[in-house]
């Protein structure tokens, strides 16, 4: 009898956690939509992104933050290794592209992205291989 009660409690906690994840995912989505609206609404037609590198860099920072937010939302909705790797790749790329980095930091960032891509490919191939073995 206690085992049945324990299973019901575990199932209930699992449902509560899923609902909380969905609520947080909705909050992240709302933040992304508001940020995107604010970014494009606040950009007047007179802004010269190609002529002013500081404005263009700020614009890139905002775009990368939206992309990272979207990837984070995907990770909340469907948590898996591929989504985590994508977020890490975007974070390193954002640091390299938008940040004020030295050539050595850029080199380390490129190596990091390469390693993350290789690891992602390995995990994807491993998942495919395991799926074929089980069939």
């Amino acid at each position: 009898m206690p085992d049945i009660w324990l299973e019901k409690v575990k199932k209930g906690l699992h449902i509560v956690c899923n609902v909380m994840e969905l609520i947080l995912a909705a909050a992240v989505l709302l933040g992304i939509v508001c940020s995107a609206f604010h970014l494009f609404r606040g950009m007047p037609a007179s802004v010269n992104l190609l002529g002013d590198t500081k404005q263009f860099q700020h614009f890139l920072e905002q775009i990368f933050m939206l992309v990272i937010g979207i990837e984070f939302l995907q990770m909340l909705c469907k948590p898996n290794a591929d989504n985590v790797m994508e977020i890490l790749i975007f974070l390193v790329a954002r640091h390299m592209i938008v940040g004020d980095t030295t050539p050595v930091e850029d080199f380390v960032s490129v190596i990091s992205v390469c390693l993350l891509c290789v690891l992602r490919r390995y995990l994807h191939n491993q998942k495919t291989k395991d799926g074929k073995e089980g069939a």
Side-chain angles (χ1 to χ4, degrees):
M1 196 69 155
D3 290 336
I4 295 172
W5 183 79
L6 186 61
E7 287 301 317
K8 286 183 179 183
V9 169
K10 283 182 182 180
K11 188 175 181 180
L13 287 175
H14 185 67
I15 291 170
V16 169
C17 288
N18 285 339
V19 169
M20 289 174 60
E21 280 181 353
L22 287 175
I23 291 170
L24 290 176
V28 170
L29 178 62
L30 181 64
I32 290 169
V33 169
C34 290
S35 294
F37 179 73
H38 177 71
L39 176 68
F40 291 111
R41 192 193 83 199
M43 186 172 60
S46 63
V47 172
N48 184 8
L49 291 177
L50 296 177
D52 187 1
T53 57
K54 290 227 184 261
Q55 283 183 346
F56 185 65
Q57 187 173 8
H58 179 69
F59 180 75
L60 277 179
E61 283 180 33
Q62 299 302 316
I63 293 295
F64 267 112
M65 290 305 292
L66 288 174
V67 169
I68 290 167
I70 292 168
E71 292 296 327
F72 182 69
L73 180 63
Q74 281 183 334
M75 188 187 73
L76 281 176
C77 293
K78 293 183 181 177
N80 60 35
D82 284 338
N83 289 340
V84 172
M85 289 296 162
E86 283 182 23
I87 289 174
L88 292 173
I89 290 169
F90 279 119
L91 285 171
V92 173
R94 178 189 176 274
H95 172 74
M96 182 175 62
I97 293 170
V98 176
D100 190 20
T101 58
T102 65
V104 172
E105 290 172 331
D106 287 341
F107 179 71
V108 171
S109 295
V110 168
I111 296 298
S112 298
V113 169
C114 290
L115 287 173
L116 286 168
C117 288
V118 167
L119 183 61
R120 182 173 170 224
R121 173 71 66 160
Y122 172 77
L123 289 174
H124 183 69
N125 286 343
Q126 196 69 21
K127 183 172 66 173
T128 305
K129 188 178 181 182
D130 289 345
K132 288 181 181 177
E133 289 175 358

